[in-house]
Amino acid sequence: MILLCCAAGKLTAQHSFAFNNGPVMNKYQDSLLRLNEATFNADNNEQRFSLNAQFIKTLVNSLKTHGSFAFPFDSLKKISVVKSADNSFRIFSWHLPIDDGTYRFFGTIQMATKDGKLKLYPLIDQTETIDPNQITANKTWYGATYYEIVPVISNGKQPYYILIGWKGNNTKTSKKVIDILSFVKDEPVFGKAVFGNDNSKNRVIFEYNKLNSMTLKTDKNVGMIVFDHLAPFTPDMAGNFEFYASDLSFDAYKIVNGKLKLIEDIELKNDPNAQDDLYADPADKKNQPVKKL
């Protein structure tokens, strides 16, 4: 990650020109793919971190290539690359499994500025040393692998972006996170008190049993960020997140006047598909069972 720090202020590109460095970028992507696969197949932490350092160096070199912001890096399946809807930046993020069952996160923000300069803001995972609710900078990052960026516009302005990501955790529980990214004097800031009337909450963290899954995503049908309502298996397990899972109900955050308003117990409907005609509602008395000979 030191390599990313060193490169942060030095990269420039003229995005007004057509992207014509596809062959060069494809070669870089092939190298990154090989390093990435080797990293995840490594036998121990020492090998894993050594290969990951080579991956970071190669990634930085690739981003120095003219027009790299236009290259999707879509072959890197273990690396999340998500771009903002206004095309002003994108975030590379990924995680490494550690021998003790925890995870270390890595990433960078690649900015495309109006004057054509290209900037990198390295994301330095400081999960173990910071308060999970703390407002942080890019070098004191509450690490996660992001898979969605949701822009928030209020009064015609772009006050912040919602980041939705997978946080991992340990051998017993997993975490997901809703974080907030804003830019203050051209510097990234993570965390913001935008969660309803709770001015003490700068990000939302969900923790649940590792063997279970959790939905956390934007749902265009309802226009909200929806998520499973997590609950303990039994009341006496309250507060012990190793025994938390979805209770099959859903809550959501709705963007209202530039803030995220919590909506509890929402009803979700699946998108219509060709199989719907095959469904027979058991409550409909017109549906009679088929008699077998």
Side-chain angles (χ1 to χ4, degrees), residues 15-16 33 43 45 57 74 76 97 99 114 176 232 238 264:
H15 293 287
S16 58
L33 182 59
D43 294 329
N45 287 341
K57 181 178 181 179
D74 50 4
L76 301 179
D99 290 343
K114 292 181 179 179
K176 286 190 176 182
E264 296 181 315

Side-chain angles (χ1 to χ4, degrees), residues 8 89-91 108-111 119-124 135-141 146 161 163 180-191 203:
F89 70 94
R90 62 179 176 175
I91 302 179
T108 190
I109 301 174
Q110 183 184 21
M111 299 284 303
K119 293 183 179 180
L120 287 181
Y121 293 103
L123 301 177
I124 312 300
I135 294 177
T136 69
N138 58 296
K139 294 181 182 179
T140 51
W141 179 45
Y146 301 122
Y161 301 87
L163 306 179
I180 306 299
L181 171 64
S182 52
F183 291 92
V184 180
K185 296 181 180 180
D186 293 328
E187 293 292 325
V189 176
F190 292 88
R203 65 178 53 86

Side-chain angles (χ1 to χ4, degrees), residues 42 46 49 60 65 79 88 91 96 104 149 160 169 263 271-272 278-279:
E46 183 178 359
F49 280 98
V60 170
T65 304
I79 306 297
S88 63
I91 302 179
L96 292 187
R104 184 73 57 82
I149 299 176
Y160 63 87
N169 195 31
I263 310 294
D271 294 329
L278 303 178
Y279 172 72

Side-chain angles (χ1 to χ4, degrees), residues 203-221:
R203 65 178 53 86
V204 174
I205 303 163
F206 304 91
E207 186 173 2
Y208 53 96
N209 181 275
K210 193 174 186 70
L211 297 179
N212 286 270
S213 61
M214 178 197 176
T215 295
L216 175 60
K217 65 178 183 178
T218 55
D219 189 314
K220 294 181 180 179
N221 292 327

